[in-house]
Amino acid sequence: MKPSQWSCPETWSRKNRKRESQEGGVDGPKYPETGAAFGSSGTRNINIIAYNTDGELLKDAGIYVGQKFAGTGKVNMNGEQSENKAYRINFGYVDGYWFGCATCVNNNNLLKPQKNGTLRQKVQMASSAGNSTVLVEKSDYIIQIAPGSDSATVEGIYRKVRANTINFNTVTIVPKALTGEILDNAPIYLDEVFLATGKVSPNLKTGHHKLECGNLPGYAGKGKSVFNITVKAGATRVYTCRYEKADPDTKAPRTGTSVQSGKYDSPRDVSLNCADPGKNGAGCDFTYYTTNGKKPTAASNLYSSPITISETTLLKYFSVDNSGNVESVKTAIFNFGWAIPFTHTGIRAAYAINEKLSLLAMVANGCDRTVDNNDGKTIGFQAAVKPMKNISLFLNYTGGPEQGGNDQNWRNVLDGVLVVKPFTKWEFQLSGDYGSEDQGASQNTEWWGIAGVARYTLLDFLAFNARAEYFDDVTGTRLGVAQNLWEFTFTPEFTVHENMIFRVEYHHDQSSENFFLDHERNVKSQDTLSMNAIFHF
């Protein structure tokens, strides 16, 4: 469920919620007292406090952790010291208040209040000495607590609604089991924002709204659970959603990427989309990921918004649902060039010294980039030698800073290509590459590869091509994980017209690691059959 900025107040209080549940014929939920503590003893101290803009404690403000009611006004919780732990924190509505403060001052610069954010905010609580305070302007807020013993505070800020400025009307939404009892733990959403759990009666601004009953572990929705309503002055409505008892949710969630694994020549924004299968799925809770090739854990990056990927990256990720089921780690691979660059954007100049030797120099905006990602430039040189009519040799060098925002660490690539045409119908190519890159204080990286190509022209309209390559990413710089790969390609080529070529290609790739993606598994090899048509003028 996507959280967004709250846009309406609610009549909500601990006393009213108890009375409403009792009027439904069941006991009200057992609430912790204001200021109650929960979590493991002897762990990091986290305070969650609801204030108004005058600095007054709002004792009736509901506070939820993991979409479960935790208390009102002020709640003390404990985060584990041994590892990062993520919590979903929600602040409930309070009658006569809006949630969010557009003028709050964040002295610690941990979070700058945003009036119109699109997704939940995340703060990594520092493990250094001293207390940390975060001001929250979101009703739905995720906090990831880093290891440490110092305390931290999350403050939800409310501002008072001016009297007689907005027309409101009360609606009631009731989550019930088929047997009739009110389900006090069922989450309720208003305009895609978490509202409360159980039966609730918010005062809504007149106009269009969306009410929704969310997933509840151990139950499956029965019938309508989403209500698109129009609130009119003087009209009171009650909406009921039904749940039926279901088998426990034992299926792990499934997470996919908005951009498929592959080779790209420009940055991509990759979203991680989680779904919890089955009619009794409890819903996705958190998604964790890494971009350095390491296996993600609950201490890894917590996904909250699309990830911008602009260089070769091994993205690993998994999700956890609200029932605690954990998905197996998945991998997506985004390649932005391997041994050598494929394109350059810049200027170049060539000069032929004689029929057997020509030189070329260039200045470019980096390798495989149209816009530079730093203030440095990439330079390149080529010497083309033709010692005999049927033999050509090309020697290439490119060098320059390629890391974003860094002009010091250079990438250097050497490339050599030998072309031999011993007979009219035969052509052979042999190439070799070596690359290295500075990493500052870290270990410098390197990679190398070799390739061979044979082409045989059988008829004027038919030729056969075979290619074999070996690539060793010694330190995992180019592919995200250290490995060696080899591939073989066989390509029949048909000249359909003087301006058109049609090809059928079989391609086999093999790696020393589980590098390739086969549906939801990572495997060591892949086979590809493809066709293409080329028009040239």
Side-chain angles (χ1 to χ4, degrees):
M1 187 69 61
K2 275 190 177 181
S4 60
Q5 188 71 17
W6 281 18
S7 59
C8 51
E10 176 222 9
T11 302
W12 190 100
S13 72
R14 177 181 165 198
K15 179 167 49 175
N16 287 342
R17 281 180 50 83
K18 274 191 173 183
R19 185 177 65 249
E20 289 166 358
S21 296
Q22 290 164 353
E23 289 173 352
V26 296
D27 292 335
K30 301 299 188 291
Y31 296 125
E33 294 298 323
T34 298
F38 63 98
S40 304
S41 61
T43 54
R44 188 172 187 181
N45 183 53
I46 309 297
N47 293 306
I48 309 170
I49 309 174
Y51 289 110
N52 64 19
T53 51
D54 295 326
E56 300 168 337
L57 176 69
L58 290 183
K59 295 181 179 180
D60 287 337
I63 296 174
Y64 297 79
V65 177
Q67 296 191 350
K68 294 181 180 179
F69 187 82
T72 59
K74 179 179 179 180
V75 169
N76 177 265
M77 59 180 285
N78 294 305
E80 300 294 336
Q81 289 179 316
S82 58
E83 61 178 356
N84 288 32
K85 191 173 181 65
Y87 298 92
R88 187 186 304 277
I89 297 172
N90 296 98
F91 290 90
Y93 288 157
V94 179
D95 186 25
Y97 285 87
W98 300 99
F99 187 90
C101 169
T103 59
C104 295
V105 178
N106 180 7
N107 295 324
N108 294 319
N109 294 318
L110 292 175
L111 175 67
K112 293 181 178 179
Q114 299 177 0
K115 190 172 183 180
N116 296 308
T118 56
L119 267 179
R120 53 186 177 252
Q121 299 287 339
K122 185 199 78 171
V123 160
Q124 180 95 6
M125 286 294 189
S127 59
S128 58
N131 297 338
S132 301
T133 301
V134 182
L135 298 182
V136 180
E137 205 192 22
K138 299 284 183 178
S139 61
D140 184 288
Y141 186 80
I142 288 182
I143 185 170
Q144 194 171 19
I145 302 173
S149 57
D150 56 305
S151 63
T153 301
V154 178
E155 297 178 354
I157 310 297
Y158 293 76
R159 58 189 174 93
K160 204 169 187 62
V161 176
R162 294 180 184 176
N164 302 318
T165 58
I166 301 177
N167 294 321
F168 298 103
N169 199 52
T170 302
V171 300
T172 299
I173 185 165
V174 187
K176 284 187 176 182
L178 293 182
T179 52
E181 70 268 21
I182 296 176
L183 299 174
D184 291 307
N185 291 324
I188 307 298
Y189 298 87
L190 172 64
D191 297 331
E192 297 191 344
V193 177
F194 178 81
L195 172 65
T197 58
K199 181 181 177 182
V200 62
S201 298
N203 273 347
L204 303 185
K205 181 182 177 181
T206 53
H208 300 287
H209 297 280
K210 179 180 178 181
L211 287 171
E212 182 175 0
C213 295
N215 295 315
L216 179 62
Y219 287 86
K222 189 73 172 178
K224 192 171 184 179
S225 62
V226 178
F227 304 91
N228 293 299
I229 64 175
T230 300
V231 177
K232 298 180 180 179
T236 300
R237 295 289 303 273
V238 177
Y239 300 90
T240 302
C241 47
R242 304 283 182 177
Y243 293 80
E244 65 175 342
K245 198 74 175 175
D247 293 331
D249 175 21
T250 58
K251 292 185 178 180
R254 296 176 181 175
T255 309
T257 59
S258 61
V259 181
Q260 298 299 313
S261 294
K263 188 180 185 304
Y264 299 93
D265 57 7
S266 61
R268 292 292 188 272
D269 288 333
V270 181
S271 298
L272 298 178
N273 305 311
C274 177
D276 201 19
K279 72 173 187 176
N280 61 335
C284 298
D285 194 8
F286 297 120
T287 298
Y288 302 90
Y289 71 94
T290 60
T291 55
N292 58 5
K294 295 183 179 180
K295 184 177 180 180
T297 67
S300 301
N301 297 316
L302 186 64
Y303 176 77
S304 61
S305 60
I307 307 160
T308 300
I309 295 180
S310 58
E311 58 185 2
T312 297
T313 299
L314 199 65
L315 175 65
K316 294 190 175 185
Y317 55 92
F318 74 96
S319 294
V320 181
D321 67 16
N322 288 311
S323 292
N325 298 309
V326 181
E327 179 184 23
S328 59
V329 174
K330 293 181 180 177
T331 303
I333 304 156
F334 303 94
N335 292 313
F336 290 80
W338 288 13
I340 58 174
F342 286 86
T343 63
H344 292 97
T345 301
I347 58 174
R348 68 178 184 179
Y351 179 72
I353 296 178
N354 52 47
E355 293 182 353
K356 294 186 177 183
L357 176 63
S358 61
L359 302 176
L360 180 147
M362 72 165 187
V363 179
N365 291 335
C367 298
D368 297 315
R369 296 183 185 276
T370 55
V371 178
D372 213 338
N373 62 347
N374 53 45
D375 294 330
K377 295 298 178 183
T378 293
I379 60 174
F381 303 98
Q382 182 188 80
V385 183
K386 196 174 182 66
M388 299 176 64
K389 182 179 180 179
N390 59 346
I391 297 177
S392 299
L393 177 64
F394 302 89
L395 301 174
N396 304 288
Y397 166 79
T398 58
E402 301 293 339
Q403 299 168 16
N406 187 314
D407 303 333
Q408 306 300 318
N409 296 342
W410 271 51
R411 180 183 301 172
N412 300 283
V413 178
L414 297 172
D415 170 57
V417 181
L418 176 65
V419 181
V420 180
K421 297 180 179 180
F423 310 107
T424 303
K425 294 186 175 184
W426 284 95
E427 178 179 328
F428 299 95
Q429 292 184 21
L430 180 65
S431 63
D433 307 289
Y434 174 80
S436 65
E437 187 167 17
D438 299 330
Q439 298 295 328
S442 303
Q443 176 186 2
N444 291 345
T445 59
E446 60 178 340
W447 60 92
W448 63 274
I450 56 174
V453 178
R455 176 183 174 88
Y456 176 67
T457 303
L458 179 63
L459 302 169
D460 290 341
F461 65 89
L462 176 62
F464 297 96
N465 302 279
R467 181 177 73 247
E469 296 177 276
Y470 178 86
F471 181 66
D472 190 348
D473 193 1
V474 180
T475 50
T477 308
R478 305 304 295 151
L479 303 177
V481 60
Q483 60 182 300
N484 52 70
L485 303 98
W486 64 269
E487 68 88 17
F488 172 77
T489 303
F490 179 69
T491 310
E493 180 181 296
F494 304 89
T495 302
V496 180
H497 185 270
E498 63 178 354
N499 298 115
M500 179 181 176
I501 297 173
F502 179 75
R503 291 172 176 169
V504 179
E505 182 172 281
Y506 165 74
H507 191 94
H508 176 79
D509 295 292
Q510 189 77 35
S511 172
S512 60
E513 304 294 331
N514 291 323
F515 180 69
F516 303 103
L517 189 63
D518 181 11
H519 295 93
E520 296 185 359
R521 299 183 306 128
N522 291 105
V523 295
K524 290 186 177 182
S525 65
Q526 67 177 8
D527 294 280
T528 307
L529 185 64
S530 60
M531 295 179 290
N532 63 67
I534 301 175
F535 298 88
H536 56 91
F537 303 94

